[in-house]
Amino acid sequence: MIDVHYWPTPNGKKVTILLEELDIPYRIVPVHIGRGDQFEDGFLKISPNNRMPAIVDTEPKGGGDPIAVFESGAILMYLAEKEGRFWPRDVRGRYEVAQWVMWQMANQGPKTGERGHFSRVPADQGDQSYAQRRFADETHRLYGVMNNRLYDRPYLAGEDYSIADMISYPWTASWKLQGIDLDEFKHFKRWFEDLSARPAVQRGMAVTAGLPSEDPASLSPEEQARRRALLYNQRARPAPDA
Ligand SMILES: N[C@@H](CCC(=O)N[C@@H](CS)C(=O)NCC(=O)O)C(=O)O
């Protein structure tokens, strides 16, 4: 069984999309990042960067102890390699895919994430216009990178649909909120519509953490302040032997 430590964000949905495409059983373990589940000791043992997603495979290939994997790119590689699908085995095909998975992890995810972050900074934190412009420009540039890649091939890594596409899709689902005009990127648009029509992508994007929904206004002002500090003022944690 694959346990998916999960919260329904773009990074989490990369994993559920692949699991739905693979059509293998998995179990969702909620990690409520708003209330701080990502700092619990048990979770840090499998995901030392206090971020979800992470997986635990209780039945690894070849047997033995369960295998835990954190970082969505590594998780997709692990699952694709285990199942022998969506990641070619020949060296050329393999590294076509690997470099686009790395591109997503090092560029598209972080830059569009920061674009979102700086667009939500409260007014009392001062002028954010430099950071807002910087990350809006980077987001726009990265759509251009995908568009230029997709003009002469159907998928990011070439002729075949792969984990490179699955990892990049969730961060593009809110293109409108990101200030992107799809008509400016027609090759990207064709790819986006192709993936959006896939039933497994639709199922993966719809996976919830299975917890009852919470109205933020129902939280006490103290709890709201605790949660804000927890998410936005993270600093190094002491080593366990400190
Ligand atoms: N590079 C990581 C990023 C994971 C990540 O940033 N996860 C966020 C949610 S989308 C998280 O767990 N945030 C918790 C926090 O900020 O404390 C990956 O791709 O797995």
Side-chain angles (χ1 to χ4, degrees):
M1 177 62 79
I2 306 290
D3 284 343
V4 188
H5 295 255
Y6 178 80
W7 195 244
T9 71
N11 287 322
K13 291 174 184 182
K14 298 166 176 176
V15 179
T16 48
I17 288 175
L18 174 57
L19 286 162
E20 290 293 335
E21 292 283 8
L22 291 169
D23 198 19
I24 57 174
Y26 63 96
R27 192 164 48 201
I28 294 290
V29 183
V31 182
H32 188 325
I33 57 176
R35 75 178 175 205
D37 293 2
Q38 67 274 35
F39 295 105
E40 284 177 10
D41 290 343
F43 182 67
L44 289 171
K45 283 205 173 74
I46 60 172
S47 186
N49 193 38
N50 64 263
R51 298 281 189 275
M52 73 87 222
I55 61 163
V56 178
D57 181 0
T58 59
E59 294 156 87
K61 232 181 178 162
D65 289 342
I67 292 181
V69 186
F70 74 103
E71 284 293 338
S72 58
I75 296 170
L76 266 59
M77 289 173 163
Y78 177 87
L79 293 171
E81 183 175 323
K82 182 179 182 193
E83 299 301 319
R85 296 183 63 198
F86 303 120
W87 194 17
R89 282 158 200 254
D90 69 285
V91 69
R92 286 185 178 79
R94 195 164 184 80
Y95 282 90
E96 275 302 309
V97 171
Q99 66 193 354
W100 284 93
V101 169
M102 300 295 162
W103 171 84
Q104 196 292 322
M105 296 291 289
N107 295 271
Q108 189 215 30
K111 299 297 173 72
T112 49
E114 296 298 359
R115 195 217 64 83
H117 174 85
F118 284 102
S119 70
R120 293 190 298 270
V121 177
D124 64 3
Q125 295 298 304
D127 178 27
Q128 305 294 322
S129 54
Y130 174 79
Q132 288 169 347
R133 200 172 48 251
R134 161 77 185 161
F135 290 114
D137 283 351
E138 274 291 277
T139 299
H140 188 264
R141 180 184 73 78
L142 292 164
Y143 273 89
V145 171
M146 284 189 280
N147 194 54
N148 294 349
R149 176 74 181 167
L150 290 164
Y151 97 98
D152 63 352
R153 71 203 84 205
Y155 298 107
L156 287 170
E159 290 304 311
D160 298 321
Y161 178 55
S162 75
I163 54 172
D165 303 293
M166 296 178 216
I167 201 167
S168 303
Y169 176 84
W171 279 99
T172 65
S174 45
W175 54 269
K176 209 178 211 162
L177 263 178
Q178 293 166 345
I180 295 301
D181 174 5
L182 278 196
D183 291 331
E184 197 183 334
F185 301 112
K186 67 174 184 185
H187 308 296
F188 165 80
K189 185 176 176 196
R190 186 254 314 139
W191 172 91
F192 179 79
E193 288 171 352
D194 174 354
L195 263 73
S196 301
R198 293 182 72 92
V201 170
Q202 292 169 8
R203 289 196 303 275
M205 290 294 287
V207 172
T208 67
L211 294 183
S213 66
E214 192 179 62
D215 174 8
S218 70
L219 302 171
S220 68
E222 295 75 27
E223 177 61 6
Q224 289 184 32
R226 184 190 75 82
R227 290 188 179 195
R228 258 196 314 278
L230 181 135
L231 277 178
Y232 298 121
N233 300 99
Q234 296 183 7
R235 288 173 63 83
R237 294 161 66 80
D241 63 350

